[in-house]
Amino acid sequence: MTDIQTRRFNSKAELDAALVQKLEQAIGTPNAAIMLSGGKTPLPAYNELAQRRPRPAPGLHLLYSDDRYVPATSESSNYYQSRALLNALALPETAVLRVRTELPLEQAATDYDQQLTTLLQNGHEIALGLLGLGPDGHTASLFNAAHLVQARGRLAIPVQRPDGMQGVSVTPDVLARVRELIFLVAGADKQPIIEAFLRSDSDLTARKAVAGCPRVGLWTA
């Protein structure tokens, strides 16, 4: 059974400060990888880090929990939203694993799966992974039971999103390899889904996606 460690902050500003500190620590860990999530919640921490310009440790890699199938220059792209941080870290292109949406969707998913496979085969540990929790109980771009079935034996899959868009998502097999996995959930409107997620008998897709993780953090404000 997955142990959920909940950390409640008095304000979003306190959550942001703690996340900046957590990311700085991971950025300074040699040969580590960090999985970034999309959405609005982590953006203030990403932007604050960009201003601080932390020095990355040797071998640092970044990857993404998922991305929409849109151009890399789109405001809807998780990759694009993190560009300020990427520019500040100045990592080599090969150290940033992204969904190559310039490829056809199926090929983009296969390519991302191969990028993740190579990362893990080369001995890089995913030291820190960030996830969001949608009001419908999804995480990354894993929205339903069919996506979890589709994900078996793979590290990345193409998905059809309920909003009509397409995307590529990491799978539970990737999440299970993350040393420290943290859900970031902010806003009073998220309290009902947090309560549903924390129930021991939760059947939310997000909870099932981390069933292979012995311990998961949930930070909320």
Side-chain angles (χ1 to χ4, degrees), residues 105-210:
L105 178 62
E106 293 281 348
Q107 189 175 342
T110 299
D111 175 82
Y112 198 48
D113 187 296
Q114 185 56 57
Q115 291 182 59
L116 293 166
T117 298
T118 300
L119 177 81
L120 295 170
Q121 287 180 343
N122 287 343
H124 293 279
E125 178 187 44
I126 306 176
L128 176 65
L130 307 178
L131 288 172
L133 179 62
D136 59 355
H138 83 272
T139 193
S141 284
L142 302 171
F143 286 90
N144 51 49
H147 288 158
L148 297 180
V149 171
Q150 181 187 354
R152 291 174 184 168
R154 301 183 65 178
L155 299 182
I157 58 169
V159 295
Q160 300 292 328
R161 297 165 49 94
D163 60 7
M165 300 183 73
Q166 298 172 312
V168 173
S169 179
V170 301
T171 68
D173 283 356
V174 174
L175 303 183
R177 296 170 184 255
V178 179
R179 186 175 70 194
E180 185 171 11
L181 191 64
I182 301 174
F183 282 86
L184 304 171
V185 192
D189 60 324
K190 290 291 187 76
Q191 290 309 306
I193 200 65
I194 289 174
E195 293 174 7
F197 179 82
L198 292 175
R199 288 202 304 264
S200 60
D201 61 346
S202 175
D203 63 353
L204 295 181
T205 300
R207 188 64 185 267
K208 292 180 178 179
V210 297

Side-chain angles (χ1 to χ4, degrees), residues 29-70:
T29 302
N31 208 42
I34 301 172
M35 185 180 75
L36 303 178
S37 67
K40 296 179 181 179
T41 302
L43 282 182
Y46 295 169
N47 292 333
E48 173 63 23
L49 271 174
Q51 293 180 13
R52 295 189 183 193
R53 304 186 71 86
R55 178 173 296 180
L60 177 69
H61 283 65
L62 296 181
L63 59 137
Y64 294 84
S65 62
D66 65 314
D67 217 337
R68 296 173 181 84
Y69 188 63
V70 294

